[in-house]
Amino acid sequence: MTRIGLIGPGKVGRSIAKALPRDRYLLGPVRGKGPSAARRLVRDLHDGGAVTSAKPFADCDAILVATPETAVAAVVEELIEADIAWRGKCVLHTCRECSPAFARLAELGAAVD
């Protein structure tokens, strides 16, 4: 089963998380700007776990970043600081264009799309 972490449990992130086929994907850590949105999504789906740091994303196969484009650089910086082994991980985003910040994760070995 593929474990997916979610950063940004707002409307877009929530919709994607709800649409994941439960027989193929396991929702992992969920992180929001504040803890309440993440806790609410985890409670509603009965899956995943609300977190307050980026470190739990180390156990994910894929990480979905569903944040506003203005928050992407800060999210990427926090993920890098979490000292995650990026080789073999996939980082997906909902931005209109791939932010240059994601290039830093690609340089560390993540597949970014």
Side-chain angles (χ1 to χ4, degrees):
M1 216 180 262
T2 302
R3 184 176 169 91
I4 298 181
L6 172 63
I7 300 175
K11 290 179 184 178
V12 173
R14 172 181 278 277
S15 295
I16 294 170
K18 287 172 86 173
L20 290 174
R22 297 289 177 237
D23 61 331
R24 295 177 41 204
Y25 298 97
L26 175 68
L27 184 62
V30 177
R31 173 119 200 253
K33 186 176 11 175
S36 61
R39 283 195 305 260
R40 191 169 37 256
L41 177 61
V42 167
R43 182 188 66 230
D44 291 350
L45 295 181
H46 304 289
D47 198 6
V51 298
T52 57
S53 76
K55 191 63 180 167
F57 291 91
D59 294 331
C60 295
D61 303 300
I63 300 169
L64 172 63
V65 179
T67 63
E69 292 180 31
T70 56
V72 167
V75 167
V76 168
E77 188 61 37
E78 185 178 355
L79 287 169
I80 290 171
E81 288 176 6
D83 198 29
I84 294 171
W86 290 103
R87 193 136 330 266
K89 294 201 185 302
C90 181
V91 178
L92 306 166
H93 61 85
T94 58
C95 300
R96 281 179 268 154
E97 295 180 20
C98 188
S99 168
F102 287 116
R104 295 183 61 203
L105 293 176
E107 290 169 2
L108 295 171
V112 178
D113 194 14

